[in-house]
Amino acid sequence: MDVRPARRAADRRVAALLAVSLAFGVATLPGWAAAAPTVAHASAAPADPPGDPAGEPGDETPPVEPTATDPAPTEAPPTGPPPETATPAPTPTGPAATTPAGPVDPPPTSTAPATTTLPPATSAPPPRPSAPGPGGSAPSRLGVRVSTEDVTLTEAYWNAEDTTTTLRVTVTNTGEVAELIRLSYTLPAGLTDAGTPGCAAAGGGEYHCGGWPTAAGDRFSTLVRVRVDGAAWRRMPLSGAVRVSASAPGVAGSADDNEGFAVLFPPGPPVPGISLDAGGVAFDISGAASELGVRLGNTGKADAAGRIEVVLPAGVTVPTPPAGCAALDQARTRCDVGTVPAGGTVALRLPVSATAEAQRDAPLAGAVIGRVDPRSGQARQLQMSFRITAAAAMSTPIATPAPAGSQGVLAAAGAGPDPAGGLTSVQRTAVILIVVSVLLVVLALALATTALRRRLAGQARTARAPAPSD
């Protein structure tokens, strides 16, 4: 067989070219396919401070709010240890976290009088870092967290012209430096400050207090003295808000946090022949609609027609009233529950939804009005308030600064999608490189196939040639 050295060398070059092209394509395709990373942009929505919910107007004149005639207070209210968390574990396995150190100045020596009626203790939620205020620096430097309990009234409220109680506020320095924390709060109509030390009226139901110098990690509580007017129940539901602001020397900006509180009235005014009970409303982290359960009882001796009316704060509604219920307006829903037998009870469940802003303002308060109208005798009516909570109020969005890196890394990370729906520059470059690699592989395969065909054709012609004679 006549095989020339030149053709043998050309076949070796084509094979080598094919091997290099295949290796190049296999090595670079995975890298180019991942050359266009996606960047997740987190948006931080600052929590708006809750406003005064619209209460039901009554015939009585609301109490006169004190005017801000004195200069801003320079001293903070007295403080004490934070309330203990409700942990039912009988044998704790770690150090107790219910008695952290109080603020640096003033020392936690003064406490509220023992005669005041405190609301029931609740579990303090875990601290949440707060988003920086306007012009603030990195969120890890400054941080503050506030949590509140509700203003809960007992049955004794119905026998007094007004009632003085307390609102417990727990403050935590969640930053990394010593901070000066200032407190302010808003009371709804029918409630006034009963002389909280270190706080002064600012008008419009607003009260401002002095500041606490606190070290990083300090957690303490204070009691705000509140006077509830005897006719405030006519305006239920009632809610308020507490705000804290933290600043530190040498650190720009401030950190802020806020939380609402509910004013909870017992069923009343007391009247025989009727009972009323309403459970709370709780929204989970998804913000989906929840349910409100109400029980209306007829404790009289004659059957009576029953009616339940629900009053909700701003942003909270009944999206789809069940059968027998009708929306009077956005805040009020009335339900006819039919005949309530003597000594019997009827139950009603209403779906309740809330806007994202209303959930951030929680805890809030709603009101329920129950009425029974017997066939003989006078109609009887009770009303009470219930609590509205939301998991969204326990989490504050935090803006995370972009990580430092080289200009090339930052440019690639900052490249967002084309507003018109096309590809970014990084994605276009990756597509071009992938196309070029595929073309090189195809070209190498075509060259190898052509060379192989030529070689086979030459071998066939050589086989058909007659053997030379001797």
Side-chain angles (χ1 to χ4, degrees), residues 140-163:
S140 60
R141 296 287 295 167
L142 294 176
V144 66
R145 167 76 169 91
V146 63
S147 60
T148 62
E149 295 180 0
D150 297 320
V151 176
T152 304
L153 300 169
T154 64
E155 297 289 342
Y157 169 79
W158 304 114
N159 295 322
E161 294 184 1
D162 56 55
T163 302

Side-chain angles (χ1 to χ4, degrees), residues 49-97:
D52 294 338
E56 182 180 0
D59 299 332
E60 287 73 12
T61 303
V64 178
E65 298 284 352
T67 58
T69 56
D70 299 331
T74 58
E75 297 182 358
T79 61
E84 295 184 358
T85 56
T87 53
T91 55
T93 57

